[in-house]
Amino acid sequence: MPRALVIGGAGFIGSYVVKELQSNGYDVRVFDNLSTGSLTRLPAGISFIQGDIRTYDELKSVVESGDIVFHLAAFTSVPKSFEEPLLSGEINVHGTYNVFEAVREKGAVGVVFSSSAAVYGNQEGTVNENTTPSPESPYAFQKHIGEQIASLYSKSFNVPSCCLRYFNVYGKGNNEEGAYAPVTARFIKAKREGASLPIVGDGKQTRDFIHVEDVARANRLACEKLVSSKDSKIYNISSGKPFVINDIANMVGGEKTYIEARKEIKNSCGDSSKAKSELNWEPKIKLEEGIKNLLP
């Protein structure tokens, strides 16, 4: 039975990864500081260790030889990373360095690292893994550094990794609270409460949405690639279809309220053909279906 340590496994995406691995025969342990995660997301009886990736000794104590490590712990808010760049850096850079060093020191198999499409910045058209990153936020810059840490550990210490660049992940259980909640979650919450849908700026931004269950499956398939590799790979995890935010609001239905624009990229769309050819992965859940299943 393969062993998996899911760091950040009590979070939104992490909990889906835990369930995906467990249902496919993995012996799963979860490490999380519960700052944004919740034990209620986890299957009953799961092995759970509370700790923080910023504290190396805590992290090292749970990594074991033979583990496949899934690193999903992160400071995830792009807007908040402008407000707290030092804190986000401690978590996303120093914490990631700790993960890779613990894997090296303890002889674990390797790391599936949750990166982000934010590393591309504002690009014209559809981006692929050969597109030059151009991060435009502390969060994006820190995720790009995380990928470079992965590459360094592959080349210098023979620690293989798969870096998955998620585009806009949505699904049941996503954080709905606060001004920086993801757009789909904010829309669904407003719809359920009978409020108008808050749209940032003019709503003409485009985003590439990918369902969290497809993301979880990508993590499992990436770890299968990991065990047969000794280098560092990068994959877009995306639908390949740009959707205008105003159109997403129309799918949800209801009145709209336009609020002040904030610093964010205008367009985002990813080519996931590399993941299809090398991981045998492609998205199964179309956005229209996913939104319909979330409606109250």
Side-chain angles (χ1 to χ4, degrees), residues 26-37:
Y26 285 75
D27 177 16
V28 182
R29 305 188 327 278
V30 172
F31 180 84
D32 200 300
N33 71 355
L34 300 180
S35 60
T36 58

Side-chain angles (χ1 to χ4, degrees), residues 38 106 118 121 140 148 195 235 245 250 273:
S38 172
K106 299 301 284 287
Q148 294 174 328
Y235 299 98
I245 298 301
N250 291 334
S273 58

Side-chain angles (χ1 to χ4, degrees), residues 101-276:
E101 177 59 15
V103 167
R104 182 199 68 80
E105 186 173 347
K106 299 301 284 287
V109 173
V111 182
V112 178
F113 171 56
S114 291
S115 187
S116 171
V119 302
Y120 290 116
N122 202 27
Q123 307 267 1
E124 292 294 330
T126 302
V127 296
N128 62 36
E129 293 84 355
N130 293 322
T131 302
T132 301
S134 181
E136 297 185 7
S137 68
Y139 168 79
F141 177 66
Q142 292 151 12
K143 281 296 183 181
H144 187 40
I145 292 175
E147 294 179 353
Q148 294 174 328
I149 292 171
S151 178
L152 170 68
Y153 269 77
S154 167
K155 294 174 181 176
S156 301
F157 303 113
N158 296 315
V159 175
S161 59
C162 285
C163 303
L164 306 181
R165 289 176 175 169
Y166 306 150
F167 283 67
N168 282 58
V169 184
Y170 74 101
K172 185 177 180 180
N174 206 345
N175 174 42
E176 296 181 340
E177 302 302 324
Y180 300 141
V183 61
T184 51
R186 285 187 286 114
F187 285 175
I188 296 298
K189 180 176 186 287
K191 176 75 171 181
R192 186 176 62 249
E193 296 176 351
S196 60
L197 277 56
I199 299 176
V200 174
D202 60 11
K204 295 179 180 179
Q205 313 93 300
T206 63
R207 295 291 183 268
D208 184 325
F209 292 90
I210 187 74
H211 196 277
V212 65
E213 291 178 11
D214 285 325
V215 170
R217 185 164 43 84
N219 273 265
R220 175 175 59 82
L221 293 171
C223 89
E224 294 174 5
K225 178 73 172 179
L226 188 74
V227 298
S228 64
S229 173
K230 283 298 179 185
D231 57 5
S232 180
K233 299 283 191 179
I234 295 175
Y235 299 98
N236 283 345
I237 303 302
S238 59
S239 72
K241 298 179 180 179
F243 284 87
V244 177
I245 298 301
N246 283 326
D247 292 340
I248 305 299
N250 291 334
M251 287 184 198
V252 174
E255 295 185 0
K256 308 180 188 72
T257 297
Y258 291 87
I259 60 179
E260 184 179 357
R262 63 190 183 204
K263 185 178 286 189
E264 62 177 2
I265 63 173
K266 185 69 176 176
N267 301 297
S268 178
C269 183
D271 175 2
S272 60
S273 58
K274 182 180 177 184
K276 182 177 181 179

